[in-house]
Every structure is written in structure tokens, then in C-alpha cells.
Amino acid sequence: MSAIESQLADYELAASLGTEISDGFIPLIDMEELQGPRRSEIVQQIGHACQHYSFFLVKNHGISETNMNNILGTASEFFKLPEQEKLKFCTNDPNKSIKLFMGFKDEIQNVFIARESLRFSTYPFEDYVNEWPANPPSLRKDVMEYCTSVKRVEFELLEAMSQSLGLEKDYIDKMLYNHGQKISMNYYPICQEQDLEFTRGVRPHTDPTIITILLQDNVPGFKVLNNGKWVDVGHIPNTLVIHVGDLLQVISNYRYKSLHHQVFMNCVKERVSVASYCYPSSDTTIGPAMELIDNDHPAIYRNFTYKEFYEEMWRAVVQHATDKRLDTFKSSVA
């Protein structure tokens, strides 16, 4: 058995037995089992992971290894394009559907944030495909293939998460009716060893999403906060990392907590990842599910539209207060 196969076996054992691995628990969910007689058990595993860890890994999700390698390769190619080609997508307009984010100095924390990120809307494809980069030539095809597959994964997970909360299977999907999708292609350059102390890939944060589906390459750096400690989430071939986002925290009435995570830099190899974000449409009303509210569990948040949340999210970015963006929406009785 290879080292990777051995590590994967350990992760599977942990998922089934609830044991710990090294410095943290890494839940691994077999999505194939959601289609069989063990569905209720797997739904419980997903609920347990969301409630106690705010994230989990999935395997047997139906996205081919070729598909995953293609989108990671395309992302890497994009960030190697000439600077003037990439800068076409730089903008300060928060309403643009495609934006390039470059590295910058965080004056408050006195660190350099080195990640480059191309974030863009993808669904429905016909509304956005012509805005995507034409270079590299494979990008549009690879993005469409990957996003089609990951959308299916997202739908299956939202159904399982709804059931894990004791809600109807289609509860979240109905709430998000005709919801959109965005992806972020992320590039982390090699960092000189002497600069590691004052350089980060991404600062600690949560995602302003329902869920985030992360595909990462084999270069370490992704960390999650678990029981007050930062835990490395290493690369396991053919798996995806699923985060609980801010909006699922609201829907679950704080039963599921949004994942705090960050990325550290590597001084040996560059790192690439692709994140898929599940967002509601702008007029969607978000709030705690009524079935999860009672005298012992009052509503933590009031109802609000995603448009309200989006505006508050950008205010929080400007004010360097992204960890407080949900405070505005807390219920008066919370």
C-alpha cells in the first residue's frame, strides 16, 4: 500500500469510527453511499461533521480525475499569462461579475497577502460565458465541464444537509430557487523562506456562502480552525473539501457554524486551488428555518434578503470587519 493509499484508509477509518488523526479530526464522506441503503447513516455523518467541525471531505462525488486536473491546469495557465492580459479583469466595481484580485499589503496586520484570485459568476452559463477569459483557450470549456459536475455535487449535498437538519429534502433548494454559482481560481506563488513570517496566502476568514466546495492541488497550506487550533487539511487524491458558509449558519439557526480557515504560503512550490461558491439570488430571503425555532432555540437571526447581505458584506470588507458581517442580522432576542 502506498503512502497516499494508507493515508486515505486512515481518513476512511476516522470517518466511520469517529477517531482522531494527528492534530485534528478530518471527516471523510462517501457520497456514493447517499444513493444506497446507507443514505440515512451518511446524512447523519454529514450533519455531525457540519455541527462539530464545520467542514468535511467527500470522495466518490462523480467528478472525474481528468475534469479536476483540467480545471487546476487551466487555472495555473491563466496566472502564468502576461501581466497585461490578466489585468484586463482588475476592477473596483463590486457589481462586476468577474474580478481579478492581486496581492496586497494588509497594513492592520502588517502582512502581505500573496494570493492572486480570479473570481467570476458561472451559472447560468449562457449569461456569463462570454465574459470569461478567452485565454488560455481551454478555459471556457474546462470551466463549463467542471462547474456542471460540481453543480450536481452541490445539489446532492444541499439535499443531504437539509435532511440532516430534520428538514424536507428540498428545503434549502426551494429557499434558494434558481440560485447562482461563482468560482474562484486561486494562485499562491512561491514565498521566499525569509518572508514566510510576514506573508499569508489568505487571512483567517469565513465564506459568505451557503456552502463552498474546494478543489485543491497537492501543495499543503490550507488550514481550518478546530477546537481553537489550526489544523492542516492535506490533499487526498480525488476528494473535495466542503465548507459550511455564513448563510448555512443562518438557515440552521446557528446549529452549523461557518468554517474559519486560512492559507499559509509554501517556500518550495506554488499552489493552485479552485473554489465553487453556492450563493442565493439577490431577492432570496434568508433566515432560520422555522422548524428549528422553539422556546429553547429562539431565532438567532432575523430574515433578510441576499441583496442586503451582499451590501453588508462589502461594507465589512472596507471596514476590515468581515468577521462581524452577520452581526447586523442578529435577532433582537438573540
Side-chain angles (χ1 to χ4, degrees):
M1 181 182 289
S2 70
I4 289 294
E5 289 171 333
S6 176
Q7 189 179 16
L8 183 55
D10 287 344
Y11 276 58
E12 291 172 335
L13 183 63
S16 62
L17 300 181
T19 55
E20 289 193 351
I21 304 172
S22 64
D23 58 348
F25 182 93
I26 311 292
L28 178 66
I29 304 296
D30 186 347
M31 285 192 65
E32 198 170 57
E33 298 281 7
L34 284 172
Q35 310 306 321
R38 293 184 63 223
R39 179 180 177 85
S40 61
E41 181 185 340
I42 302 303
V43 165
Q44 286 184 333
Q45 287 183 13
I46 289 174
H48 186 269
C50 289
Q51 185 166 359
H52 296 283
Y53 306 103
S54 300
F55 84 104
F56 53 94
L57 275 65
V58 294
K59 66 172 186 173
N60 294 330
H61 41 68
I63 305 178
S64 71
E65 185 174 7
T66 298
N67 197 334
M68 293 188 289
N69 287 339
N70 284 348
I71 191 70
L72 288 172
T74 291
S76 181
E77 284 183 54
F78 173 82
F79 290 107
K80 288 181 170 63
L81 292 173
E83 200 78 356
Q84 64 270 21
E85 181 78 12
K86 294 184 293 184
L87 289 178
K88 294 176 185 176
F89 302 99
C90 271
T91 176
N92 292 320
D93 183 353
N95 296 312
K96 284 286 189 182
S97 68
I98 183 165
K99 298 185 254 322
L100 178 70
F101 299 87
M102 304 294 285
F104 65 95
K105 177 71 179 292
D106 182 337
E107 300 292 349
I108 295 176
Q109 297 187 17
N110 193 33
V111 293
F112 182 74
I113 308 303
R115 178 183 70 167
E116 295 180 26
S117 177
L118 183 70
R119 189 172 304 171
F120 52 101
S121 298
T122 57
Y123 187 83
F125 297 136
E126 59 271 19
D127 290 352
Y128 300 110
V129 65
N130 291 328
E131 299 176 7
W132 302 347
N135 284 313
S138 63
L139 186 143
R140 294 181 179 181
K141 172 178 174 291
D142 291 339
V143 167
M144 288 185 71
E145 288 180 353
Y146 179 74
C147 287
T148 297
S149 297
V150 87
K151 191 75 174 173
R152 187 187 64 254
V153 173
E154 174 190 295
F155 180 74
E156 291 179 12
L157 289 173
L158 292 179
E159 286 191 333
M161 288 173 174
S162 292
Q163 290 183 302
S164 74
L165 288 165
L167 305 171
E168 292 295 325
K169 184 178 180 180
D170 60 355
Y171 180 90
I172 296 178
D173 186 57
K174 280 185 176 178
M175 172 184 273
L176 304 180
Y177 174 73
N178 199 29
H179 62 284
Q181 178 191 47
K182 295 182 181 181
I183 70 165
S184 176
M185 300 194 307
N186 308 304
Y187 172 74
Y188 304 88
I190 294 172
C191 180
Q192 296 300 313
E193 190 168 1
Q194 65 268 23
D195 297 328
L196 281 175
E197 183 179 355
F198 301 104
T199 307
R200 292 289 181 274
V202 178
R203 295 164 293 186
H205 68 288
T206 61
D207 285 353
T209 61
I210 305 290
I211 59 172
T212 299
I213 300 176
L214 178 68
L215 170 65
Q216 52 178 347
D217 66 9
N218 61 0
V219 179
F222 182 66
K223 295 177 181 285
V224 302
L225 190 63
N226 181 247
N227 291 328
K229 296 181 179 179
W230 287 104
V231 178
D232 289 299
V233 181
H235 172 258
I236 301 295
N238 300 319
T239 64
L240 302 166
V241 185
I242 314 301
H243 310 194
V244 173
D246 292 349
L247 299 178
L248 184 55
Q249 177 174 306
V250 172
I251 294 168
S252 70
N253 201 29
Y254 207 59
R255 183 182 298 184
Y256 298 165
K257 314 297 191 302
S258 192
L259 178 69
H260 282 82
H261 55 286
Q262 63 177 318
V263 177
F264 275 50
M265 298 298 290
N266 192 287
C267 59
V268 178
K269 293 183 69 177
E270 59 192 19
R271 183 176 184 275
V272 174
S273 68
V274 177
S276 172
Y277 304 116
C278 174
Y279 286 100
S281 56
S282 61
D283 59 349
T284 298
T285 298
I286 303 293
M290 293 300 296
E291 294 87 340
L292 304 179
I293 300 171
D294 56 34
N295 290 336
D296 295 325
H297 305 91
I300 302 298
Y301 302 98
R302 64 175 175 84
N303 288 355
F304 54 89
T305 65
Y306 180 66
K307 181 180 179 182
E308 289 179 84
F309 177 76
Y310 187 81
E311 291 170 351
E312 179 60 29
M313 178 183 73
W314 279 101
R315 274 195 293 271
V317 168
V318 171
Q319 297 168 7
H320 303 281
T322 55
D323 58 331
K324 300 183 185 300
R325 62 186 162 220
L326 279 177
D327 289 358
T328 301
F329 306 106
K330 284 190 173 178
S331 169
S332 58
V333 298

